[in-house]
Each structure stands twice: as structure tokens, then as C-alpha cells.
């Protein structure tokens, strides 16, 4: 990457963050919007909102109109606030983990897991760190944009946890006791459930209520005899398909 491009990206990130915070805190500085629009135009981002901001005198643009233009520019560049700028997204994800964590004892996993923000990955997101230090992040982190509503956050987190555990051991979890088939975390209308495909498909249990159906497993059975704490960084439980370290 050239120095000019690196400088442009750094300036754009700085300004988009400032504009977003201004919008969020109802303290938008029109000069930040103008600076962002000018920088984007210099690199051929000629959207209608960018051109309008650049061509008009900011002193003559009503605050409500400048606010709308700023939102349009952020949408144009695909800006998504991270967990640091939108902490409510992180709280939504933590609430989701409290739900799915109730199912982990059925896999023999004890202790309280924690959300681990992965700022050094691109795109930045979050994984799960288990009480014994094991990490669940297979397939890529849960992105902040996935945490705007509780159902989406729980769906994405459940799928990531299930895929990570499968990649550790190549063992299916959970399993429907009636059909002896692996079930999958799935969104069904406004609920996240463990869904079995047997006999045309049926609900095994809502996510978070699996223990009522399957009971608990002994901790020593949790990973099929594999000590996941000794896995190297390149092991399946540590790799990502969607993201990579910066």
C-alpha cells in the first residue's frame, strides 16, 4: 500500500469515527462532515451526498439537513461502528452468550465463558474464551453489525460456538436423541433454536434450554479426549475463514 493510500485510509477512519460520534452524541461538527466529504471526493467517491456537502456553504446548511447528509455519507462508505463506538452492541452479545452458555454443560464444558473482543483481527469482531482458556472463533468473529438485535446476535454466536466445537473434535454436538442426527443452531421466526432435520424437521430445544432435553455430560468427555488448550495457533479452533490478524 502506498503512503498516500495509507494516509487517506487513516484520515477517513478518523473522520468517519468523529462524524459517527457527533451523530450519536447529538454534537455533530459540520466542519468534520465537510472534511470527510472533501477527502472522499479527492479519492473519487462522488456520491450525491458527498457532492452536496462539498458544493454548499456549511454555514447555510441547517443542522438537521447536515445531520441527514452525514448519515448518508456514512452509509455510502459502508461505515460500521465497532464495539468501542457502539458498546450497546457488545452488551447485546454478552447477553446472548449468557443464554447459549447454559447449553455448554451438555457438551461437558464447565465454567463461565467470556466474550473476547478481537481488535487485532480484520474485520474486528468478537469470539469466546472459555473458563479454561480455550477459544471459540472458528469461521471468523461475530461482527459488531451482527449485534444490533438480540436474535441475530444469538444466532451468529450459537453457530460460531457450534462450528468451533466441531472443528476441535470432529464430533457432532448437539445430537437429537430420537433420530441420532446432529442438530443445528437456527433462527425460526423470532427465536433461536436447536433444529433437527429428522422427519421433516422439528424443534429439539430453544437455545439455552438444551439441558432439559439432553442433560449434562461429564467434563472429562467435553472434547473427546482432545486437550484444546495445547492446540497451536494454526489448529482449527484458532483459525478463521472470514478474518485474519492485522
Amino acid at each position: 500500500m502506498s503512503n498516500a493510500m495509507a494516509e487517506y485510509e487513516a484520515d477517513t477512519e478518523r473522520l468517519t469515527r468523529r462524524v459517527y460520534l457527533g451523530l450519536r452524541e447529538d454534537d455533530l461538527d459540520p466542519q468534520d462532515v465537510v472534511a470527510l466529504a472533501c477527502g472522499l471526493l479527492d479519492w473519487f467517491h462522488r456520491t450525491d451526498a458527498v457532492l452536496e456537502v462539498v458544493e454548499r456553504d456549511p454555514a447555510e446548511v441547517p443542522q438537521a439537513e447536515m445531520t441527514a447528509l452525514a448519515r448518508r455519507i456514512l452509509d455510502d462508505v459502508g461505515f460500521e461502528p465497532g464495539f468501542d463506538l457502539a458498546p450497546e452492541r457488545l452488551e447485546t452479545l454478552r447477553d446472548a452468550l449468557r443464554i447459549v452458555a447454559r447449553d455448554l454443560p451438555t457438551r461437558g464444558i464447565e465454567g463461565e465463558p467470556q466474550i473476547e473482543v478481537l481488535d487485532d483481527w480484520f474485520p474486528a469482531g468478537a469470539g469466546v474464551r472459555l473458563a479454561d482458556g480455550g477459544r471459540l472463533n472458528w469461521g471468523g468473529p461475530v461482527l459488531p453489525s451482527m449485534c444490533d438485535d438480540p436474535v441475530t446476535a444469538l444466532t451468529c454466536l450459537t453457530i460460531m460456538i457450534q462450528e468451533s466445537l466441531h472443528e476441535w473434535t470432529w464430533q457432532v454436538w448437539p445430537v437429537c436423541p430420537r433420530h441420532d442426527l446432529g442438530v443445528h443452531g437456527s433462527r425460526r421466526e423470532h427465536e433461536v433454536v436447536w433444529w433437527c432435520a429428522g422427519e421433516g424437521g422439528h424443534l429439539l430445544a430453544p437455545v439455552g434450554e438444551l439441558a432439559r432435553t439432553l442433560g449434562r455430560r461429564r467434563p472429562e468427555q467435553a472434547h473427546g479426549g482432545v486437550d484444546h488448550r495445547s492446540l497451536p495457533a494454526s489448529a482449527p479452533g484458532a483459525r478463521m475463514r472470514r478474518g485474519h490478524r492485522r
Side-chain angles (χ1 to χ4, degrees):
M1 181 185 298
S2 68
N3 290 337
M5 177 60 74
E7 183 177 349
Y8 159 74
E9 291 189 352
D11 287 344
T12 300
E13 181 176 0
R14 175 179 59 82
L15 287 167
T16 51
R17 288 172 64 91
R18 288 184 62 172
V19 168
Y20 172 79
L21 286 174
L23 291 169
R24 181 185 177 92
E25 298 168 2
D26 196 22
D27 187 29
L28 181 65
D29 185 344
Q31 294 302 324
D32 288 338
V33 184
V34 172
L36 176 59
C38 289
L40 292 171
L41 186 61
D42 285 345
W43 286 83
F44 310 107
H45 291 275
R46 301 177 61 87
T47 68
D48 291 342
V50 166
L51 292 173
E52 186 170 349
V53 169
V54 170
E55 292 170 358
R56 295 177 65 182
D57 182 351
E60 297 179 358
V61 180
Q63 187 68 18
E65 193 171 347
M66 184 63 78
T67 295
L69 287 167
R71 294 188 187 281
R72 287 170 56 192
I73 289 174
L74 292 186
D75 288 342
D76 289 341
V77 299
F79 177 76
E80 280 290 346
F83 292 122
D84 58 332
L85 296 182
E88 68 278 2
R89 289 177 160 182
L90 186 57
E91 287 307 310
T92 297
L93 188 58
R94 286 173 173 155
D95 289 342
L97 180 59
R98 294 185 187 100
I99 295 172
V100 70
R102 298 199 297 261
D103 291 344
L104 294 181
T106 70
R107 187 64 181 84
I109 299 173
E110 303 293 341
E112 183 177 353
Q114 302 290 331
I115 291 296
E116 182 178 36
V117 177
L118 304 171
D119 287 326
D120 58 340
W121 290 85
F122 182 82
V128 173
R129 182 184 288 271
L130 299 178
D132 63 5
R135 289 177 168 173
L136 305 178
N137 54 32
W138 176 260
V142 177
L143 302 179
S145 60
M146 300 172 180
C147 303
D148 281 335
D149 72 87
V151 176
T152 301
L154 181 56
T155 302
C156 295
L157 185 63
T158 298
I159 292 171
M160 184 190 71
I161 288 174
Q162 184 181 29
E163 289 184 351
S164 297
L165 292 174
H166 179 265
E167 289 299 325
W168 275 353
T169 63
W170 296 102
Q171 294 182 1
V172 175
W173 171 85
V175 173
C176 174
R178 190 195 334 170
H179 298 106
D180 196 30
L181 293 173
V183 302
H184 299 278
S186 175
R187 179 172 184 162
R188 299 283 163 167
E189 296 183 354
H190 302 295
E191 186 177 24
V192 188
V193 303
W194 295 111
W195 188 262
C196 174
E199 298 181 17
H202 69 92
L203 170 71
L204 178 62
V207 169
E209 304 296 333
L210 193 59
R212 295 184 180 182
T213 302
L214 300 184
R216 300 165 68 94
R217 288 182 58 184
R218 292 179 298 167
E220 62 267 28
Q221 294 177 316
H223 306 293
V226 176
D227 184 359
H228 60 273
R229 290 168 294 181
S230 64
L231 289 176
S234 60
R239 295 200 302 266
M240 288 190 170
R241 287 195 293 266
R242 287 200 301 265
H244 58 275
R245 288 191 183 277
R246 292 182 184 272

